[in-house]
Amino acid sequence: MNAVVPLTGICLLAVAMLVWAEFRRSQPVRALAKLVASSAFVAIAWQLDAAASRHGRWLLAAFALSWVGDALLLSARSRVFLVGLFAFLAAHVAFAGAFLILPQRMPALWAAVVALAASGLLMLRWLWPHLKPVYRPAVTAYVASLVAMAAPAISATAAGGDWRYAAGALAFAASDVAVARNRFVAPGPANKAWGLPLYYAAQVMFALSLG
């Protein structure tokens, strides 16, 4: 437990460096800072003994897949981006497994599914004209996986679980809007300035919920 605070600080510092590197277009600093920040949330989960419970093991798998996705998304190549997208899709499936293990409040679950699915459809409508045909099935599947992750997270919080489940899920979903805007609509470091802190805040909240 003692290492959790410094690991969280390392993650925050690395995210600040990452945002700076995005604006300065410093690829070496960007790669280093991103991998350090992503390694930090995996380490937090490990430090909090994630492997000791089924819920924790699902989360640990999701963090590992997220780490792989983060590493792959460092590349600007379309094929590598698609593989990274599928790594995050798999991570969302693992997150969904982690949250579905927890007690659920069914009215909240269905309300979240409806609200998130509607938001996902709006996002797809916004993105669709900007997507090349090769991306359309992958992005649609990814949005579905995001709904599948966030809805049980919100429901688990509504059932009396940790508030960080819902907060992390919503932060993760919001960060993906920045990723989509940057990749498909209007590229620029401003997207990273708010998207990256939200993404890492989500991962750290999920990891700290194990404590």
Side-chain angles (χ1 to χ4, degrees):
M1 184 70 180
N2 291 338
V4 170
V5 173
L7 284 170
T8 303
I10 288 169
C11 187
L12 294 174
L13 179 60
V15 172
M17 290 177 61
L18 177 55
V19 172
W20 176 87
E22 292 288 352
F23 277 93
R24 296 302 297 265
R25 302 184 185 275
S26 175
Q27 184 61 22
V29 176
R30 175 176 175 255
L32 177 62
K34 190 169 192 180
L35 294 179
V36 168
S38 299
S39 298
F41 64 67
V42 178
I44 290 169
W46 187 262
Q47 182 68 24
L48 290 173
D49 208 13
S53 68
R54 193 155 63 106
H55 168 69
R57 288 191 292 273
W58 276 106
L59 282 181
L60 200 57
F63 294 141
L65 287 163
S66 296
W67 191 99
V68 172
D70 285 331
L72 290 169
L73 263 57
L74 285 167
S75 172
R77 296 171 59 188
S78 294
R79 289 183 181 179
V80 178
F81 179 84
L82 275 174
V83 177
L85 191 70
F86 280 109
F88 274 111
L89 189 156
H92 285 318
V93 172
F95 278 127
F99 296 129
L100 285 168
I101 289 170
L102 303 173
Q104 298 285 314
R105 186 175 181 183
M106 297 311 295
L109 177 63
W110 289 114
V113 168
V114 170
L116 291 166
S119 299
L121 288 172
L122 288 173
M123 185 172 178
L124 285 173
R125 183 179 177 183
W126 167 56
L127 289 175
W128 210 253
H130 305 281
L131 296 176
K132 295 178 181 179
V134 68
Y135 282 114
R136 287 177 175 177
V139 172
T140 301
Y142 181 82
V143 170
S145 74
L146 189 59
V147 172
M149 177 276 291
I154 293 168
S155 174
T157 295
D162 197 302
W163 64 271
R164 287 171 289 200
Y165 302 149
L170 292 174
F172 210 135
S175 76
D176 279 331
V177 175
V179 173
R181 186 176 188 274
N182 187 71
R183 184 73 188 191
F184 303 116
V185 182
N191 298 307
K192 307 292 184 72
W194 60 275
L196 287 168
L198 281 174
Y199 166 72
Y200 283 102
Q203 296 282 29
V204 169
M205 281 192 281
F206 287 156
L208 290 175
S209 72
L210 290 161

